[in-house]
Amino acid sequence: MSGNVADSAISPTSPAQTIPADLSGQMLELDEDDDLEVFSKDTSITDGGSFNASMPTSPGSMINQYKFDEEDEQEDPGAKDIFITVDNPESHVTTIETFITYRVLTKTTRSEFDSSEYEVRRRYQDFLWLKGRLEEANPTLIVHPLPEKFVMKGMVERFNDDFIETRRRALHRFLNRVSEHPILSCNEDFKIFLTAQAWELTSHKKQGPGFLSRMGDTVRAVAASVRGVKSRPEEFNSMQEYVEAFSQKMTSLDRITQRIVKEEREYLEELKEYAPTYTLWSGSEEELAEPLKGVASCVDRCFQETEEQVRQFSDTLAPALHEYVLSAETLKAVLRRRDFIQAELEAKNEALAAKRADRDALKEEIDKLEDRMEWANNALKGDWSRWQRSMRTDLKEVFITTAQKNVDHYEKCLAVWESFLLSMRSEVGDINQPSSDDS
Amino acid sequence: MMADTGSEEVAVIGNTDLTPGEIENNIKNTMGEVGDEEIVLPKKMEINVAEAEKRTVKNAVNMQETYTVYLIETRPADDASEGTNPTPDSLWRRYSEFEILRSYFLVAYPHVVVPPLPEKRAEFVWHKLSADNMDPDFVERRRVGLENFLLRVASHPILASDNIFYSFLTEENGWKEAVLETGFQAKADSRLKALNATFRVKNPDKRFAEMKHYGDELQSVISQLLRVRARVADRLYGVYKVHGNYGRVFSEWSAIEKEMGDGLQSAGHHMDAYAASVDDILEEEEHYADQLKEYLFYTDALRAVCRKHELIQYELEAAATDLSTKKQQQEELATGTVRTFSLKGMTSKLFGQETPEVREGKMKVLEGQIQEGEEALKEKNTECDEFVRSAWSEIERFKDQKNHDLKEALISYAIMQISMCKKGIQVWTNAKECFNKM
């Protein structure tokens, strides 16, 4: 029996998701259904969509299908009905350990929430737990990555301010992305994460699948990976290829960006001594004192502007690229989990063909597995195009911002030097003024 | 400028420079060589160091030696030749010959701030630039530096009319012999020794002392500036070049994307262009560095003039001291009193007075010496005054030139920075447009 997803009663679905079998009539009234408000923006009734895996997997239930299409891009930001902020990191010291908690503030008009505002404190472990639960409930949906546990390179301390800030931003993005996902945002654990008080969450966490059943899952996963998939559908093969290549490119871009930051910092180190040298010189001069001080001040301004520019790379571009490195790993895991389901199915089919075990029981299992396979594949396909759109939007935006920041940087430096030049020439009244429009 | 009495020490430091008389002789001698025509020292001459070439010869110990020679082209730029544009005269010179010419100037015109030669070996290099003397970029920059040197000399009111300079420009063979005949080389060595000797001047001229101090400061600060600039250039190079990797990866990435492919690909090209742009930027900056270097090297010449003044001043003081000692001795001899201790005085006290005849003889000798001393002092005074006058006007001239040139250099540096910013704006604006199309 498959254990960890479809039949699990562990993650209670939100009321909105237990949709009765005969849905055809109700589909047309989605917009009026407050509970499903979150879906109304981006759904249409066609096949090929996917739905929450916690639903009983009967073919009938597959009628309620959603397709993630171009409408996603036209999401009206004004229609957003849940706003989550992660801020205010605080350090907690106990006898056993020291850790950071973050304030998670939720403001929502969604009816499944009893109140319109919640404020809780969560630590990184809690986020990890949430992500795990989301993936368990939806193995082939693409969940936004979490920031890493710790960074080896450079031995960044866990309690270093920059590290905490970077992590805070990533956690903020994580929760917001989950809240924007049509299926994940309805997840019950997500709601509990946002609303439960510390002790409530702890006790809820304890209700998770037992150790033994988790062990069983792991064993099966290993067995499945050893078994391998016999005939993976072509589209998943091309997804696999894409993900491999994408992951490589992102890793390269991440590394290049880190390297640029490093080089810029070393450049700034040297530049720091440059302006003072001109100032020192101006002390020995009379007529040259003004021009020298002018150059010193220009160099100094450019130094400050460069510091700003580096910040853009390190605070915005690098984290964004790094997130997609992690996201690529998520994609690989999703594809693996899908393969795992397929491998199980294939194994069961082989067993049937070999007429080994009880045929009827086996047939029933296979039916269930086939349902699981189908919605797993559809879920992945749907989320895949959603992911691609997000990726394109995210990276396009961050590249544009970076390019703009660089343009701004050069324009500011240009202005500084041009005004210096102007002051020099107005003194001399240069006859032979070379045009400043040289390019 | 009179020196006071005081120290007993009388050091005689020989005059290491060519006297005006000697210089005149030179002109007369070379006049004879060139011919009987009147020497026209063209005040306006177009000078051009046009090319550089490698030569390989077997030297005195039969080993292969490679060196670079530079083609010097000259063309009289007076009214008569305007419109005719005659072909230039030209000859080849190597760096060591330039060095000889400069050494000659230093000895012949000690009050002149002699323009410096471009550096012998590449210094203050940042990593990409070669420190190799045979490197074509280095040779090219040296060619420019040598031309600059000749132009500086040609525009100097005193140096330009020197005959050795004229024949340097016009006579490929025989020049070396002519310059050696001036005997400057022997003088060059002792000049150097004298300038480096330690001696104390009792009444230093404040202006010259300040100028020497300024020369030291300028040397120190320009060296520091050149060092820092080279390091900054090195780092900037690194920053730009790493961006080239974006170009490569964007291109590879575009291959797996559908909608984003074109935008990424063209953005990648702009990243390549950005990375490549740093080469031109830094090459231009080398010219700026060369301008600074020229004045760095000028400080040596400036210091030498100040030092020369100190030397003359010291000699003047020595001559005055010598004279006053002699006069004192004369007085003692006349009055019979011994105020100053001397071995002679002691022995005469011990062994009896001298005879009047002996005393008479000594007086006569002293009188002669005093007369010589007074003449020597007068000469020294004149020399000192003349030197102060001409050296100070030279220094003023140098100061104005320095202020003008360095200000221009700073302005051109600003222009370079502006150009660099404009390139940056262009590249990133283009890249942004490509990203927009993603």
Side-chain angles (χ1 to χ4, degrees), chain A residues 421-434, chain B residues 407-408 411:
Chain A
L421 203 62
L422 212 61
S423 73
M424 285 295 105
R425 285 186 170 151
S426 66
E427 276 179 31
V428 173
D430 248 55
I431 316 160
N432 52 328
Q433 291 190 28
Chain B
K407 186 168 179 185
E408 285 304 307
I411 287 174

Side-chain angles (χ1 to χ4, degrees), chain B residues 192-291:
Chain B
L192 221 62
K193 228 197 286 173
L195 287 182
N196 287 330
T198 26
F199 49 81
R200 199 176 70 81
V201 170
K202 276 169 280 178
N203 276 343
D205 181 322
K206 195 153 172 253
R207 291 182 303 172
F208 282 91
E210 276 172 8
M211 193 45 57
K212 180 149 102 73
H213 182 66
Y214 169 75
D216 291 337
E217 281 183 350
L218 191 65
Q219 179 181 44
S220 159
V221 83
I222 294 185
S223 300
Q224 188 178 322
L225 191 62
L226 286 168
R227 255 195 312 272
V228 176
R229 188 212 73 87
R231 285 202 300 261
V232 168
D234 207 21
R235 288 289 164 219
L236 189 69
Y237 183 79
V239 170
Y240 270 76
K241 285 301 177 191
V242 180
H243 280 80
N245 287 305
Y246 276 147
R248 181 180 47 88
V249 178
F250 279 173
S251 178
E252 291 167 9
W253 181 12
S254 73
I256 61 171
E257 296 291 342
K258 292 180 221 97
E259 288 135 335
M260 289 175 26
D262 289 337
L264 277 176
Q265 177 90 311
S266 36
H269 290 148
H270 293 299
M271 291 298 98
D272 287 332
Y274 183 70
S277 69
V278 76
D279 294 311
D280 285 343
I281 289 168
L282 289 180
E283 199 185 293
E284 267 197 81
E285 263 199 26
E286 279 314 306
H287 293 306
Y288 172 67
D290 284 341
Q291 285 173 295

Side-chain angles (χ1 to χ4, degrees), chain B residues 330-341:
Chain B
Q330 184 187 52
E331 195 201 314
E332 285 168 15
L333 210 56
T335 59
T337 57
V338 182
R339 242 176 293 136
T340 56
F341 176 82

Side-chain angles (χ1 to χ4, degrees), chain A residues 196-363:
Chain A
Q197 287 310 302
W199 62 269
E200 286 175 318
L201 182 65
T202 316
S203 92
H204 175 80
K205 278 201 213 176
K206 291 211 175 89
Q207 293 169 35
F211 177 68
L212 282 177
S213 93
R214 268 195 285 231
M215 267 290 283
D217 294 347
T218 318
V219 168
R220 262 198 302 282
V222 170
S225 67
V226 166
R227 213 183 295 132
V229 167
K230 295 276 161 60
S231 54
R232 191 195 283 143
E234 189 46 43
E235 59 194 320
F236 297 116
N237 271 330
S238 32
M239 266 187 210
Q240 181 78 31
E241 278 170 28
Y242 174 86
V243 171
E244 299 280 351
F246 179 81
S247 170
Q248 271 178 15
K249 299 312 145 203
M250 278 303 119
T251 308
S252 292
L253 289 177
D254 187 27
R255 243 186 292 127
I256 293 167
T257 310
Q258 304 282 10
R259 180 68 190 276
I260 289 179
V261 170
K262 176 170 172 284
E263 295 283 338
E264 292 256 32
R265 292 222 168 108
E266 287 177 353
Y267 168 67
L268 284 170
E269 273 301 302
E270 300 296 348
L271 200 60
K272 228 195 292 183
E273 292 182 40
Y274 197 37
T277 310
Y278 281 106
T279 309
L280 177 68
W281 185 358
S282 74
S284 311
E285 298 288 343
E286 292 153 1
E287 236 187 85
L288 283 179
E290 276 310 303
L292 286 169
K293 278 194 270 198
V295 170
S297 128
C298 289
V299 171
D300 194 51
R301 271 298 300 283
C302 291
F303 172 82
Q304 289 168 25
E305 294 300 336
T306 308
E307 278 187 321
E308 267 273 336
Q309 182 204 25
V310 178
R311 238 171 274 145
Q312 164 69 15
F313 268 81
S314 71
D315 292 354
T316 307
L317 182 59
L321 291 171
H322 193 68
E323 225 166 62
Y324 273 95
V325 172
L326 297 175
S327 192
E329 294 306 305
T330 303
L331 290 174
K332 287 182 192 167
V334 164
L335 287 170
R336 266 198 307 274
R337 287 197 287 266
R338 192 215 69 83
D339 278 356
F340 163 43
I341 296 172
Q342 181 167 337
E344 279 208 278
L345 179 60
E346 285 174 354
K348 288 275 158 25
N349 273 321
E350 276 170 23
L352 188 71
K355 296 181 173 81
R356 285 195 216 116
D358 175 8
R359 296 204 73 189
D360 289 331
L362 210 50
K363 271 221 176 101

